[in-house]
Amino acid sequence: MALTTSPEAPLPVGDVSRLIGGWIDRLGAVWVEGQITQLSRRPGAGVVFLTLRDPSHDISVSVTCFRQAFDRIADVVTEGARVVVLAKPEWYAPRGQLSLRATEIRPVGIGELLVRLEQLKKSLAAEGLFALDRKKPLPFLPQLIGLVCGRASAAERDVLENARRRWPAVRFEVRNTAVQGVHAVNQVVQAVKELDGLPDVDVIVVARGGGSVEDLLPFSDEELIRAVAACRTPVVSAIGHEPDSPLLDLVADVRASTPTDAAKRVVPDVGEELDRVQQLRDRGLRTVRGLIEREERGLAHALGRSSMERPHRMVDERAAEVDALAGRGRRVLGHLLDRADSELAHTRARVVALSPAATLERGYAVLQRPDGHVVRSPADAGAPGEELRARVSEGEFTVRVAE
């Protein structure tokens, strides 16, 4: 239960340590898994001291056990081995130190490790971390490559030398880390995250020159797998271990069989690219020449036509046709005008012959009353003595109606 304390009523350190020890004693024996980082077997001592470390986290705990319990597995357990320990937590009050008192130690076999890796693989695959649609393509020509590898390792040398041989201008940002053992996971994860945070890094290569299944366990750690899956930068796995592929190969955007293969995949070969450029130039030149030759043949064929040899021939022919049609039109119009003139003359003659003036010229006269009406009968002459106007061909005069 929680204790009630205050600045005025604090607990002594001894009481706090005693209470912690009491709570830990109630925990009882537990099975603990970890990796042995320190092992001390003093000659003549009845107790063996070792340190268990969690490979995925920077946490360690001291373990003690009787020599008789450790001797049963002394031939198969060394520093770096993974073990399962049945131990009871103990609290050393004078120093305020937690430790485990082991009564049984069991090594974790390769078969069991592989089974756990397969279970973790299925779990991560169910989350979609290995899906192909999550894979990011590598840049064609990275300017800066991040490299995570062991210090002065063959993997580092292979990547650097082969990449620079293929493309001398390439630059590297190298992070040397432990690539096996208890510190490998934390250091590799930190290096990957650091390189991913650099905006100039175009691709990250995690390289190691192969090894046993136990040596490659850090590259199947869940923390590393999730860190790589969260990277915005493409990641290349170059662990160089063909029979048993670590989980890093599955989550990485590109898997290389060896560090040398990673260098070939990350940067192009300058010689091959120059040859490809030359091939493309030759191909483009052949294409352009083919187009020009085809157009030249078409132009020669067009120039060989009669219409192109005498380009004014069609114009001359059409001009002659226009002249002929214009002459024909003038002739037709002249005939029409002549006929119309003749018809007009005949009509004029008839009109003149039938006009009143012509009648008057033959000796006739036209009598008109004062109001202008023409006298057509004796009855129209009016009363005796009335004056009428007589029109003849040469003029007019007045007449009077007789009784």
Side-chain angles (χ1 to χ4, degrees), residues 24 30-39 49-55 57-64 83 85 87-91 97-101:
I24 292 177
V30 293
W31 285 100
V32 182
E33 180 183 356
Q35 190 172 15
I36 298 177
T37 58
Q38 295 179 1
L39 179 60
F49 299 90
L50 53 96
T51 301
L52 280 185
R53 182 181 180 87
D54 188 338
H57 303 86
D58 190 13
I59 299 176
S60 301
V61 64
S62 298
V63 180
T64 59
V83 294
V85 177
K88 185 179 184 305
E90 293 183 346
W91 180 256
Q97 182 178 358
L98 175 67
S99 63
L100 299 177
R101 171 73 67 172

Side-chain angles (χ1 to χ4, degrees), residues 28 43 46 50 53 72 84 87 89 105 120 149 164 198 201 223-224 250 252 270 283 295 303 330 338 353 369 392:
L50 53 96
R53 182 181 180 87
R72 290 194 291 267
V84 177
I105 301 177
L120 178 60
C149 58
R164 288 168 177 163
L198 298 178
V201 173
E223 183 181 1
L224 176 60
L250 302 178
V270 63
R283 179 180 176 184
E295 296 302 323
L303 292 175
R330 283 192 294 269
D338 293 343
R369 293 175 59 84
V392 294

Side-chain angles (χ1 to χ4, degrees), residues 323-396:
D323 292 340
L325 292 175
R328 180 181 178 185
R330 283 192 294 269
R331 290 192 299 272
V332 171
L333 181 60
H335 293 160
L336 291 177
L337 291 176
D338 293 343
R339 186 171 61 182
D341 183 67
S342 176
E343 292 178 356
L344 180 61
H346 293 162
T347 301
R348 182 176 180 276
R350 288 195 300 270
V351 170
V352 170
L354 297 176
S355 67
T359 302
L360 293 177
E361 288 179 355
R362 290 197 298 270
Y364 294 95
V366 177
L367 296 178
Q368 291 179 315
R369 293 175 59 84
D371 57 3
H373 286 82
V374 177
V375 177
R376 291 182 172 85
S377 66
D380 296 334
E386 186 176 351
E387 291 183 352
L388 299 176
R389 187 175 61 179
R391 292 185 59 189
V392 294
S393 62
E394 298 295 335
E396 62 181 32

